[in-house]
Amino acid sequence: MNESWPDERGRFGDYGGRFVAETLMPPILSLEKAYEDAKADPAFQAEFDDFMTHYVGRPSPLYFAERLTDHAGGARIYFKRDELNHTGAHKINNCLGQLLLAKRMGKRRIIAETGAGQHGVATATVAARLGIDCIVYMGATDIVRQKPNVFRMRLLGAEVRAVHSGTATLKDAMNEALRDWVTNVSDTFYCIGTVAGPHPYPAMVRDFQAVIGHEARAQVLEREGRLPDAVVACIGGGSNAMGLFHAFVPDTDVRLIGVEAAGRGVKSGLHAASLNGGKPGILHGNRTYLLQDENGQIADAHSISAGLDYPGIGPEHAHLHDIGRAEYVSATDDEALEHFQLCAKLEGILPALEPSHAIPRTLDLAKELGPDGLIIMNMCGRGDKDVFTIADALGEDIAEGTEA
């Protein structure tokens, strides 16, 4: 049922499209044609698959989280271990695809935006491997809370440009990257990190991330002999969730559940839950659900997770929400911190703050489904990058090993 999405105008129902400055239309149309040509070229797919196996480390495992399953006392819980990829998150799946496309197009300069830094690190990594110049825009607020990833990007040879406008987070970094692209369209490829932006980005990023769901679907059939009752993923822009969901969209008995960042609570106004607390509008080249104030201006998002701190969501998620094919719930900062610690102590896995939001709703669902149920949750990133933020939030003094 999803093979026709998007339509020829890049629309997912009422969402998506291509709302950009006139100067960006030629490079976007050129990108669309280059991507369609690459998809039809077996040599491009072979090069992508070879890198995915021998550089990224795919397929990632499908891991039975036995102690969390026992803790919930319900359905069997599996983690799709995309945090075990090279660079520590799902982001490299998409970066590899886009940068191979950039090389094919003859581009010598890559720009990217990043929030948590994982997309920036993945872009810098692949750019280094392919010998392409790389500039990453990052909000000054995010630079402070994701210092380890900033250092990693610089070690990899990328230039990290701090963005001080607005809330100095992911939205503002994306604004600056788009301005750069308008100025340097002739030699620059913009590597967008999520399933948002003007067409063809939402579909292209989804296609590169769809490996997550295709692997998970085959792995669960082999291990359990049936499809799961539900697949669960955290939602910021939505690339890891769309990567997991895509292979299961035609399987209407499989529930698709996205978990938005509720921050300090959706009713508090300090959150990043675009579907549960936003309404349709236009931002960054596409129509989708956005956080807006009473005058229709983009409202600031809030999340303890830099990767979820974005006031919008990918247009395909908006469509899945409206037609009722996917369910979108939320988890607060406090719930993410609590379940980060629970996962660490029960499974020996330090999840990033992003997937830590998905864990509480996964446990709720396990109890709802009961022992005969089966769930796959995407563990889309590892928590090394978040340890300083988490220590601050918990009042821990890392140097002393005691509470501050």
Side-chain angles (χ1 to χ4, degrees):
M1 62 183 288
N2 63 328
E3 294 303 319
S4 62
W5 302 342
D7 65 18
E8 68 279 2
R9 298 180 303 155
R11 298 294 186 98
F12 302 86
D14 292 333
Y15 305 99
R18 197 151 39 199
F19 299 88
V20 297
E22 189 175 344
T23 51
L24 279 182
M25 283 304 293
I28 284 178
L29 293 174
S30 174
L31 171 63
E32 182 181 21
K33 183 178 186 311
Y35 179 53
E36 291 302 318
D37 290 346
K39 280 198 299 184
D41 184 351
F44 178 83
Q45 189 64 49
E47 184 178 26
F48 178 72
D49 290 344
D50 188 72
F51 270 105
M52 290 286 266
T53 300
H54 302 293
Y55 192 65
V56 176
R58 302 208 74 94
S60 65
L62 185 70
Y63 165 74
F64 176 48
E66 183 175 5
R67 294 195 68 201
L68 273 176
T69 294
D70 291 343
H71 176 82
R76 291 166 67 79
I77 298 169
Y78 281 85
F79 288 158
K80 180 59 174 164
R81 299 290 305 276
D82 255 52
E83 96 279 17
L84 296 180
N85 295 339
H86 181 39
T87 72
H90 70 292
K91 293 292 188 182
I92 197 166
N93 305 324
N94 166 55
C95 292
L96 177 61
Q98 288 201 48
L99 266 63
L100 287 176
L101 186 60
K103 186 185 74 168
R104 182 183 172 98
M105 295 173 71
K107 302 294 186 181
R108 298 298 307 164
R109 182 175 183 267
I110 298 293
I111 58 170
E113 85 295 328
T114 195
Q118 290 302 107
H119 174 61
V121 168
T123 305
T125 297
V126 181
R129 173 60 183 82
L130 299 182
I132 304 176
D133 294 338
C134 180
I135 297 166
V136 179
Y137 289 91
M138 189 169 189
T141 300
D142 291 337
I143 284 177
V144 172
R145 56 181 173 173
Q146 299 291 341
K147 286 180 286 189
N149 273 344
V150 175
F151 187 51
R152 290 169 73 193
M153 284 184 270
R154 289 174 175 156
L155 288 173
L156 290 159
E159 177 188 349
V160 181
R161 292 187 180 176
V163 177
H164 297 277
S165 58
T167 54
T169 57
L170 180 57
K171 167 179 68 69
D172 311 295
M174 196 164 183
N175 288 339
E176 289 304 317
L178 283 166
R179 290 190 186 100
D180 183 315
W181 200 24
V182 169
T183 306
N184 301 287
V185 292
S186 61
D187 67 345
T188 298
F189 187 102
Y190 181 14
C191 182
I192 291 182
T194 193
V195 286
H199 177 66
Y201 282 103
M204 182 171 65
V205 176
R206 175 201 67 192
D207 292 348
F208 288 134
Q209 293 291 4
V211 64
I212 301 169
H214 287 301
E215 285 180 4
R217 194 176 188 283
Q219 288 168 324
V220 75
L221 285 172
E222 181 179 354
R223 294 193 62 166
E224 293 282 348
R226 72 177 181 91
L227 293 176
D229 297 288
V231 294
V232 184
C234 65
I235 296 274
S239 67
N240 97 85
M242 193 51 63
L244 178 63
F245 290 178
H246 188 60
F248 294 97
V249 169
D251 303 308
T252 53
D253 289 338
V254 179
R255 293 167 63 183
L256 314 177
I257 300 176
V259 185
E260 296 188 299
R264 297 175 188 171
V266 173
K267 292 182 179 178
S268 73
L270 296 172
H271 61 84
S274 304
L275 287 169
N276 284 291
K279 57 186 178 181
I282 294 172
L283 178 68
H284 295 149
N286 69 125
R287 185 175 189 272
T288 187
Y289 275 80
L290 303 168
L291 301 182
Q292 300 174 55
D293 64 18
E294 62 276 13
N295 298 314
Q297 299 298 308
I298 301 302
D300 293 337
H302 164 79
S303 173
I304 192 172
S305 161
L308 304 182
D309 198 350
Y310 181 68
I313 192 164
E316 190 166 4
H317 284 294
H319 183 51
L320 290 171
H321 170 268
D322 277 13
I323 65 174
R325 178 63 188 92
E327 307 162 43
Y328 294 92
V329 294
S330 63
T332 65
D333 290 348
D334 289 344
E335 287 180 300
L337 283 169
E338 176 187 346
H339 289 81
F340 165 87
Q341 296 173 86
L342 184 68
C343 184
K345 290 174 179 173
L346 290 186
E347 295 293 346
I349 295 172
L350 295 179
L353 279 169
E354 288 80 7
S356 295
H357 284 73
I359 297 172
R361 300 293 80 84
T362 299
L363 299 186
D364 291 346
L365 182 63
K367 295 170 185 171
E368 173 191 329
L369 293 174
D372 294 333
L374 185 59
I375 302 168
I376 297 174
M377 192 202 99
N378 194 22
M379 184 62 73
C380 61
R382 68 183 186 221
D384 313 39
K385 68 183 178 61
D386 292 321
V387 294
F388 299 106
T389 299
I390 292 166
D392 288 343
L394 297 177
E396 293 279 345
D397 185 330
I398 293 177
E400 297 296 330
T402 58
E403 292 186 358

